[in-house]
Amino acid sequence: MVSTATTCPFCACGCGFFLLAKNGEAAGVAPGESHPVSAGKLCARGWCAHEAPSWGSRLLRPMIRRNRRLEPVPWNEALDHVAGRLRELIAAGKPVGVLGSARATNEENYLAGRLARAGLRTNHVDFCYHSQCRPLLAGIEDVTGGSTRPIALRDIESCDAVVLVEGDLAKTHPRAAASVLKARTRGARLIAIGCARTQMARVASRFLQVAPGSEGEAINALLAAALRAAGEEKQAARCAGYDALRGDLQAVSATDEIREAAEWIAAAERAAFLIGPSAGCGDASRKTAAVIATLAAVTGHLGGPGSGLLPLLGRSNARGACDVGLAPDRLPGYEPIEDGEARRRVESVWGKALPSGAGLDADRMIENVSGLVVLADDPAAVLSAGQRARAAIERIEFLVALDAFVTPVVEAAHAVLPVASFAETEGTVTNMEARIQRVRPAGPLPGDAVEGWRALAELSARLGAGGTWNSAADVFHEIERAAPRYGGTAARIFDGGWGSALTEMPEAVRFNVQAAATQELTTAERPFVLAWDGAFDWGGDPLVSFSPTLSRDSQSERKLFPNGFVEMSGDDADALGVRAGWQVKLGSARGEAIVPIRRRDGLRRGTLLAPYAFRDCLAGVLADEGITAVQVERA
Amino acid sequence: MQPLVLTIAKRDIAQWVGALLESGKVIAPVRGPCGEAAFCRIESPEEPLWEFENPLAPPKQFLLPQTDPIVAIRRNGGVTTVAPIYDDAPRILLNVRPCDVRGIAFLTRMHEMEPADASYLRRRANFTLIALACHVPCRLGFCVCSDSGPFLSGGYDVQLTDLGERYLAETGSEKGEAAIGHASGLFRPASEEEVAQRQRLETVARGRFGDQTCHFASAMRRISTRRVDDALWEQMGDWCLECGGCNFICPTCYCFSVKDRGGDGRWTRCRMWDSCQYGAFTLEASGHNPRAQRGERMKRRFFHKVSAQYYVRDGATGCVGCGRCIKVCLGGTDMPAVVAAIRRRAWHEQ
């Protein structure tokens, strides 16, 4: 039994564990007490992390599609073919793009971005999960004026107040939920805002139940009450737009329970504000993120030690993917593509002139490019477009998939390059606290697979953008130069032990505060709000779908509800005269759909939630907007 | 058979470990790359730790691995053969703490019940357990509450006690005598004073337990007679994040699921750790789940661990007081916290 200290590949909490391998195969997990994030605690996903690499369908040979069939070929032939076809497309004036992944390492994502910009000469570069988390990060930036240091999970434990804008934290980020529970046992006040009485809402000191999409309204009320409670303009000097904010909130009234909650926040020595992405509803979730950041700023909990905001990113390396420049309008360092200084820096590191102008994001890329390189991801499983993304991918003239697992993208690809899973690769990932951590190989690469960074380096070399990297660490050293916030971290990361370093991030000092715009979604004719529940479906991720233990829930749900379902409060179901499993007809401005219901205790009346995994079943009534008003009747 | 009571000088211990290494695979706590102690197969006599906090992962992984191939299945033409996979390698578990020895005894008792589990039992039969008594109790341990430590009165092959300059070695079986026999020249019979010193150390250790206590008897009365309100289980269920860590880390938990892997006519059936705290653990094919709520699952877990019904069957509580669940539990619903809540009839106050 060989034991390897590594980082969990699931959510962006970034827990660490020892991956145990027997005869070269991942066979178990042991917790590590000294890990700076997890300290010996893991969630179910972490405890079962060894399963997917050893039980999953693995890609073992490079393959090229010939006569509609993928045929194994030697590596050189596959790489030459991929480079040649991409060059042909570019020469013919057709657009090409690259999608990295929130499941890939920083080194892989950095080289994917570099391949696009320096090799393919395009800014069509992104990662699919970016579609889900971009509005959230943008909303925070709107207030802080740039990236700002998130609060660390362990610091949440010593907060006096925690504000949680809920998805379902206990399910999405159990390690973060553990920190909130720890704070709660120490006597912290927990204010949960959401539409369903989730586990966290049940242990909260105050649960503000609101319709999906109306979180901003509740936060506005908290904000109005907090401004009154915070005394005379303590933070005004640091907040641009403070007077306008006061004006906007003049008319907002607060109930006693909101006023009390606002007092808890205002009086707290330390407070944490946790918010996750919501699927679709881009602009609305950007506004919600901005107003929660505003609440943190005006109560003096932003830009100081021990307090702060935490964007709850769903997948392990979403932040790292942003940091290394996997965005059509950002460079390594997450700096705007038009920033002259950043451009010069990256150009000098790469020795290449950068293409200018923002490229296409993931959603548009799959619809518009003729050649696409997809690293470790399945766009249809991540993007809100679902099966429409699948159809778009299948129309692409030349699709290249680099993955460890046999995913639907691999089945549609024209060229397949097998790369290592997290269990066999060397590299780093960056968690949602902005902590860079090591990923280490616990066993040998299966079949002819190579480490992802090596495959991308070979491809880059063939497209005139090669480098002199001999290891993942060499790539990291280059990232240090290209993305300044990673600079100087290598010494701590390659120091043995867990290898963990917080990135250099500025503390915001001035804020652009703003209230949330509120709007009524429902009408007399369509009195229900239908929204997606969650912004990511683990059941569609190979790390879960290939794990015998972890896939049980999602598989049984898919078996029991092949046509999806919506969740409805028991009171609403009784009022409509429908029982669990019965069908209802939903009608929105977009169209109609008939689906069975499940009763959900503690769901707000007038709310219907559709699991993100089943978004395709409801595409007739609800699509990219992520939230809509519907009429409901018994079918 | 009269147990041997011997001593060995600390300076000779590596030589003994060297002799043990020649007789089989030796597993012992070693200092891992991140600074913590972990059970690991050793290659050299200097590796084992002699002063250490008990590793967070118990040695269960070596007796009942998280992924354990148990059956080889072959199909050749129309003929399918099914052959059990046994692991008969001799292994010595060195410096295992009393709580973990009791944990292994618990696992063995369960696997001996009809139908006996040959896969586990054959592996277990080839294990020699060399225990190291705890003359200083660990920070979160409460083995004294479940009669699992700090010293053992039986169940070991050899029990070592740190006497300062020397270790006292008590044998508990022929396997233990054989383990000492590999280097019998290094041992000499213990003096009366040395035996008395061991007794004193045990008495002192029993008085030095720390913050954690676990009053099993009164919790057992309430659990066994259904006098724990469902509302309390439901409330505690809200603090359970369903990680399964309490099961995986518990020296006495053994629940598993079975999965086949392979293809092209060759499959391996594996036993894999499972957790009774996972929603899908009791999920039936119809979609019905007899324990759909977290509180119900937690109630089931503690009924198995602490009820009189199981105490009678197993001869022990399903808890050896190692305190590991306190470290791994995400929500703080560990054994002492739940037992205390049951006695108090309330989860923590806010």
Side-chain angles (χ1 to χ4, degrees), chain A residues 27 29 33-34 199 202 552, chain B residues 36 66-67 234 238 240 274:
Chain A
V29 163
E33 248 182 300
S34 60
Q199 206 174 336
R202 288 164 64 93
R552 291 185 299 201
Chain B
E36 48 236 89
Q66 196 164 359
T67 309
E234 193 183 332
D238 283 338
C240 168
D274 207 339

Side-chain angles (χ1 to χ4, degrees), chain B residues 322-334:
Chain B
C322 65
R324 290 182 173 104
C325 52
I326 303 169
K327 290 183 181 169
V328 301
C329 184
L330 285 167
T333 53
D334 49 74

